[in-house]
Amino acid sequence: MLKVGLISDTHGYLDPIIFEYFKDVDEIWHAGDIGSIDVLKKLREFKPTKVVFGNIDEPKIRYETDELLVFDTQGLKVLMIHIGATPPSYTPKLRKLIKIHSPNLFICGHT
């Protein structure tokens, strides 16, 4: 079974305790607002990392990441985006994405 370390909204600060918490995970998923290219680099050097950019992320981060990820893992379709709103009041954009992709698991940061 895949072990995932889920994180978001680091806003440029990666608490060193994260490396202890995530020592046994297989992958890290960051749901946006990374805040610093150094945070992204440290996570990627530590573990395989899936990441979406957030609304505060600079162009350098956006160039290296995606706004949306849709992927399959462990028999589940995952949709990850930074801004999704509070369920069930999803943004119109997100409602459309959910309808198109029909994910089993939806992950967002921001809220």
Side-chain angles (χ1 to χ4, degrees), residues 19-76:
F19 298 104
E20 178 65 24
Y21 291 154
F22 288 177
K23 70 180 179 189
D24 295 325
V25 305
D26 300 303
E27 294 181 350
I28 297 170
W29 299 355
H30 194 303
D33 277 0
I34 301 136
S36 162
I37 199 73
D38 292 333
V39 167
L40 182 58
K41 182 181 174 187
K42 287 176 186 176
L43 289 174
R44 285 179 168 168
E45 288 172 351
F46 180 59
K47 298 281 181 167
T49 303
K50 289 180 170 52
V51 58
V52 294
F53 65 76
N55 56 296
I56 69 142
D57 290 320
E58 64 186 352
K60 192 173 191 177
I61 293 171
R62 290 174 185 236
Y63 181 75
E64 292 196 26
T65 60
D66 294 298
E67 179 182 16
L68 167 76
L69 286 179
V70 178
F71 57 94
D72 292 307
T73 186
Q74 305 285 295
L76 297 173

Side-chain angles (χ1 to χ4, degrees), residues 3 7 10 13 23 32 48 58-59 62 67 73 79 88 90 110:
K3 286 186 176 183
I7 191 169
T10 47
Y13 176 70
K23 70 180 179 189
E58 64 186 352
R62 290 174 185 236
E67 179 182 16
T73 186
L79 187 154
Y90 297 123
H110 193 71

Side-chain angles (χ1 to χ4, degrees), residues 9 31-33 52-56 62 67-68 79-86 89-95 97 106-111:
D9 297 272
D33 277 0
V52 294
F53 65 76
N55 56 296
I56 69 142
R62 290 174 185 236
E67 179 182 16
L68 167 76
L79 187 154
M80 186 164 65
I81 193 167
H82 181 60
I83 297 177
T86 305
S89 301
Y90 297 123
T91 64
K93 177 180 180 177
L94 183 58
R95 284 185 187 280
L97 290 169
F106 166 62
I107 296 171
C108 69
H110 193 71
T111 56

